[in-house]
Amino acid sequence: MRQSMGHRDKDINSMNFITCPGCGLKLVSKYLAPGDRYNASGECLELYAEVSYYTLSANDVYFIHQLAVDTFGAQHSGGVTKNITSAFALIGLCLFVEHNYTGRQIQKVHMLIPKQNWDKIDPPEKVRLKTITVASILKADSDAARETAIKKWAKSVWNSWNEHHDTIRRITMLYI
């Protein structure tokens, strides 16, 4: 038993890790290319793809997928993330947390927003220090637990943007 544990420790110690620039999640490096849409490591994007597969296949009335998209977008703002991506993500989180909108309702509001140039909103440092990440969703052991985890993640990310809440609220109110 001791030998196998030592071998496993050696394997772990020889692995390279990467820290996602958006959420701070530390993952075993697979040497994946970083995101070109989100401020995310390729490894974090891979986990997001798994969550997206789940949320899209859920085919639920609530449309939890929209909430996952907006939460990941807000948590992975900055860097290469376009201003429109950050703005829409934060509007979606505001609608969910403060107005109890479903993912389907958020999607409909997103469709009402006219094309425009969005100001850059720099993410607060605490967005990167969240313990709830896309990896947390994948640890949930049932559909109900995943839905609860996504909602908890969304609230956590929204709360981490509190210094921008007034600005986002004003923008959001234009479309509801």
Side-chain angles (χ1 to χ4, degrees):
M1 180 72 119
R2 184 108 164 119
Q3 263 184 326
S4 65
M5 284 181 63
H7 177 69
R8 190 174 16 171
D9 290 343
K10 184 178 178 184
D11 288 345
I12 290 172
N13 290 334
S14 66
M15 290 181 185
N16 288 320
F17 291 89
I18 187 162
T19 301
C20 178
C23 66
L25 183 62
K26 188 175 181 179
L27 296 162
V28 173
S29 178
K30 296 180 179 180
Y31 303 98
L32 301 175
D36 59 358
R37 179 175 177 184
Y38 297 109
N39 186 32
S41 67
E43 289 75 4
C44 197
L45 284 167
E46 185 176 58
L47 296 179
Y48 174 59
E50 287 183 51
V51 168
S52 291
Y53 175 78
Y54 162 74
T55 58
L56 284 169
S57 66
N59 199 21
D60 61 318
V61 175
Y62 185 94
F63 195 54
I64 197 76
H65 177 71
Q66 185 65 55
L67 193 54
V69 168
D70 288 343
T71 304
F72 190 84
Q75 191 171 49
H76 293 83
S77 288
V80 299
T81 308
K82 292 181 179 178
N83 297 347
I84 189 173
T85 301
S86 299
F88 272 53
L90 291 167
I91 290 167
L93 292 181
C94 179
L95 290 168
F96 166 69
V97 174
E98 298 194 1
H99 300 278
N100 259 352
Y101 274 43
T102 65
R104 185 70 63 208
Q105 291 169 315
I106 292 167
Q107 184 185 46
K108 288 178 181 177
V109 171
H110 285 336
M111 290 187 291
L112 294 174
I113 300 173
K115 290 189 179 198
Q116 58 189 289
N117 288 323
W118 293 91
D119 292 334
K120 182 174 179 62
I121 305 172
D122 291 318
E125 183 58 33
K126 58 188 163 189
V127 169
R128 292 182 229 317
L129 303 175
K130 299 314 288 177
T131 55
I132 302 175
T133 65
V134 69
S136 305
I137 310 313
L138 295 171
K139 292 177 184 173
D141 59 2
S142 69
D143 290 349
R146 276 186 284 281
E147 185 173 318
T148 298
I150 289 169
K151 290 177 179 178
K152 186 175 177 184
W153 179 37
K155 289 175 184 174
S156 172
V157 171
W158 171 248
N159 289 336
S160 71
W161 282 84
N162 66 330
E163 65 194 59
H164 297 289
H165 282 179
D166 288 341
T167 301
I168 298 303
R169 285 181 187 121
R170 270 194 308 279
I171 294 168
T172 302
M173 293 309 292
L174 297 172
Y175 304 106
I176 63 172

